[in-house]
Amino acid sequence: MGAKPQGGQLEREQAYIDVLYARLDELRNIAQERLDQVRHARFSGSPQNRSERDAFAALHSDRLAQLSSVEDRLCFGRLDVADDDGAHRYVGRIGLTDTAHNPILTDWRAPAAEPFYQATARYPMGVRRRRHITTKGRAVIALEDEVFDLETVEDASALAGEGALLAALASHRTGRMSDIVATIQAEQDRIIRAPLAGPLVVQGGPGTGKTAVALHRAAYLLYTHRNQIATRGVLVVGPSGTFLTYIDHVLPSLGETGVVTTTMGSLLPGLTASAVDSPEVARIKGRVAMAQAIRRAVRNRQRLPAGDRTVVVLGRSLTLRRSDVAAARDAARRSHRPYNLARRVFANYLVDTLTDRLAEAMGSADYLADERKELADDVRQARDTRIAVNLAWMPMTPMSLLEELYAKPVLLEAAAPHLTEGERALLVRPAGSAWTLSDIPLLDEAAELLGLDDSAQRAEQRAQASSRARDVAYAEDVAKVLGGGWVNAEQLAERWAARAPVLTTAERAAQDRTWTYGHVVVDEAQELSAMDWRCLLRRCPSRSMTIVGDVGQTHSAAGTVDWERALGPVFGDRLTPDDDGPREGPAQSGRTRRGAGTGWRAERLTINYRTPASIMAEAEGQAQVAGVAITPTVAARDVPGAFRRVPGNADPVATALDQARDLLAQTAGRLAIIAAEETIEAVREAVEKSDLAALATGQSVLDARIAVLTPAQVKGLEFDDVVVLDPRRVSQGEGGPRDLLVAMTRATQHLRLVDA
């Protein structure tokens, strides 16, 4: 039952909230003081002391960032528990204790907070009353109680209330995703608190909160299993840069700042792909057979000469036999190192062979070790030797390998005989073409096989050592000028070196292609190809993943409409059947579940919190008629006049703009006009030339009150109102009728379909 608390309750809760914020301010000041002390403290020049200083600085900096990010809605709930002798248990974004280390605020992720999300009238979990506390800034503006024990209600006639959830659903969208920490529902909480081990697939129709659940699960796992995954970090993969901006403050607001967010197009450090292949090309590149094509292309670059050749070293002609090169190649392959690292084995083998021949040619094969080393250096540096090595085993980058493969049909045919001639023709393109989203997993595959040629890194290390020596020499001169005593040259040089920024775990992970994460969250996972999954598995060998998506909304031709078919080759058999609907009863946090640790588990979200019932009924009805396999959902609410179909008349674009004006006049919310790829530019041009132009400007589509987007661009986003132009043409796009389902389910208030 819902109850509006009576007399004096608001003031009493305000007094407690004031105590919490006072403690938060105190902890912030302590963290800032400790950070300042570390930064200003003198330190010795030993690597251990410098490492300790950096570690303490990072610790206090992270703590300060966490305390600063939870300012908004620090506390949002209270539990009155039967076995607490009348005590109240307050629930908030982080856990707080007073100066005597007594808990005054319970972290929402802690086991003690589970009843706030799981308790029901049927399963109260020992809770007498659950109170939702609404704040604005640091002021308490509303309270609402859910009562499980009527004896705790002073006035039973006061039972009423809209509820925190419905209030949140009815609020206007701001262009940034809001966390749901104060309104997590039971079926969402059960998934958020699911065990860490293995991949968990969360299937849910539009508006069921898949993204919110995935992000809150990441925060929960970092809290519950920090020792296991914090040092390796968490990777969140989203469908677009706009989407990442849309969600970027959710995890910090939950107290977690050490998470890497990226798209598949930006997964490789130093490279961002934004071009998109045609559906036919994307489908070919997404096949797992392309991994074998890349492997074959790498092996094909290990070449044998047509015959023996002459190598001139120190004026002497030496014979390099074809069999010598073959033996060197076999030795390099037996090392099982990546291509660029095995090249070193190959080159050393040839140098040793030629050094023996040079010694024989000079009249003595019994050179002393130091003399032989000098001969080997002469052989290695000889121009003919370098040419011979490069002709047989040229160093390569992933980019040079793939670019040459696309540009030279003869190489492509040798590497991909499994493709038809027509398929190979689709892949051919000129050197220098822009990298596409579908190229990223192929480049990553090549990078794994080629390995990093670390000769440049070793040269940089030598340069750093030389620079260090110069710094010490200069510091000695400075120390002499200063008179010495207070600091020596080594310490002074260390202080100069210490000016370099200290990278966090997340920053180091984002710069390292070979970094492996403690957990990976994949949103809109139905869009991933088989090659994409291979790419992500390298980032998480433990296969600890939260995979969220809806196969009813797949847009990419390389994506999937069947989880079993897509994930079976990656993770093995599915171990947990989908739910048939919401489960009653409390969640069992940390419980042992069938199949945990092997294969993949599946859960289903069934309640639509975003889309009004009338809109959802129309969207699901059209999808079913088109043969789309949807996940049925139950809408949490409806809005009067939410759905309307409008004839486009002679000018559908003008009609769409008229509908936008009408909706903008009714509410203060944000609006999206969604159109098919081939008509989107015409719509944007019409908006720019109209009186709506000022409302469509901003640093990004998330900042403007009006956004004009395609179905692919609008994925994962939501708006108060939506106008869909020409639904028939939208449903004929790359994603087919699934694109129309996406477009129709972005609205939280009103949808207008403008027929052409």
Side-chain angles (χ1 to χ4, degrees), residues 194-469:
L196 170 68
L200 174 66
V201 177
V202 182
Q203 163 72 27
T208 52
K210 298 182 294 297
T211 299
V213 166
L215 295 175
H216 286 68
R217 174 164 164 77
Y220 169 78
L221 292 176
L222 280 165
Y223 173 86
T224 309
H225 305 281
R226 191 167 297 277
N227 290 339
Q228 292 176 249
I229 63 178
T231 56
R232 302 308 304 170
V234 172
L235 175 67
V236 176
V237 181
S240 67
T242 300
F243 173 83
L244 295 183
T245 303
Y246 178 62
I247 67 169
D248 64 1
H249 74 293
V250 173
L251 282 166
S253 75
L254 298 174
E256 298 298 344
T257 57
V259 176
V260 177
T261 59
T262 187
T263 64
M264 288 302 299
S266 301
L267 199 58
L268 296 181
L271 175 65
T272 299
S274 56
V276 179
D277 283 312
S278 69
E280 296 79 11
V281 173
R283 192 178 293 112
I284 295 169
K285 291 181 180 179
R287 296 177 193 166
V288 73
M290 287 302 294
Q292 184 58 39
I294 299 297
R295 180 175 295 276
R296 192 178 288 114
V298 172
R299 287 183 69 89
N300 289 348
R301 294 304 299 267
Q302 302 161 20
R303 301 162 177 162
L304 296 179
D308 299 344
R309 63 178 296 144
T310 299
V311 176
V312 178
V313 181
L314 299 178
R316 298 179 182 272
S317 296
L318 309 176
T319 300
L320 180 64
R321 303 186 183 96
R322 188 175 189 271
S323 59
D324 296 332
V325 180
R329 183 191 64 180
D330 293 343
R333 287 178 175 177
R334 285 195 301 271
S335 73
H336 300 294
R337 297 180 182 180
Y339 175 93
N340 285 322
L341 301 183
R343 180 179 181 272
R344 225 176 287 158
V345 177
F346 174 80
N348 288 339
Y349 191 102
L350 288 187
V351 168
D352 286 344
T353 299
L354 290 172
T355 300
D356 289 339
R357 299 219 172 109
L358 178 59
E360 292 174 2
M362 297 180 70
S364 175
D366 300 323
Y367 276 80
L368 297 176
D370 56 345
E371 295 174 323
R372 179 177 173 80
K373 183 179 182 303
E374 291 180 6
L375 284 182
D377 288 342
D378 290 332
V379 171
R380 193 184 307 276
Q381 294 169 14
R383 180 175 179 274
D384 284 0
T385 305
R386 295 198 303 271
I387 292 174
V389 171
N390 285 336
L391 286 175
W393 204 298
M394 177 72 75
M396 286 189 298
T397 66
M399 291 75 172
S400 63
L401 174 72
L402 204 59
E403 186 172 65
E404 191 173 37
L405 201 62
Y406 289 150
K408 298 181 178 180
V410 64
L411 296 182
L412 184 60
E413 181 179 2
H418 62 280
L419 297 181
T420 66
E421 185 176 350
E423 289 172 332
R424 290 195 294 271
L426 289 172
L427 296 182
V428 172
R429 71 186 192 198
S433 298
W435 296 111
T436 68
L437 296 177
S438 305
D439 289 329
I440 294 299
L442 304 187
L443 288 168
D444 192 67
E445 192 81 27
E448 192 72 10
L449 295 172
L450 294 174
L452 177 66
D453 182 0
D454 63 353
S455 56
Q457 182 181 0
R458 287 184 286 122
E460 182 180 355
Q461 290 172 347
R462 291 193 296 271
Q464 288 175 348
S466 177
S467 175
R468 163 70 179 177

Side-chain angles (χ1 to χ4, degrees), residues 678-750:
E678 60 264 35
T679 58
I680 195 70
E681 290 305 324
V683 178
R684 287 174 179 153
E685 184 177 348
V687 170
E688 289 172 1
K689 293 180 178 179
S690 74
D691 56 317
L692 299 176
L695 299 179
T697 59
Q699 293 182 344
S700 73
V701 295
L702 299 176
D703 300 314
R705 194 174 172 199
I706 299 176
V708 183
L709 302 165
T710 66
Q713 294 169 334
V714 83
K715 266 188 173 294
L717 308 181
E718 60 183 17
F719 297 84
D720 295 274
D721 305 310
V722 170
V723 177
V724 177
L725 173 63
D726 196 352
R728 179 188 59 82
R729 182 168 290 181
V730 169
S731 66
Q732 293 174 347
E734 180 179 342
R738 296 179 185 84
D739 278 354
L740 183 58
L741 178 63
V742 171
M744 291 181 66
T745 55
R746 301 302 100 191
T748 65
Q749 301 297 329
H750 304 96

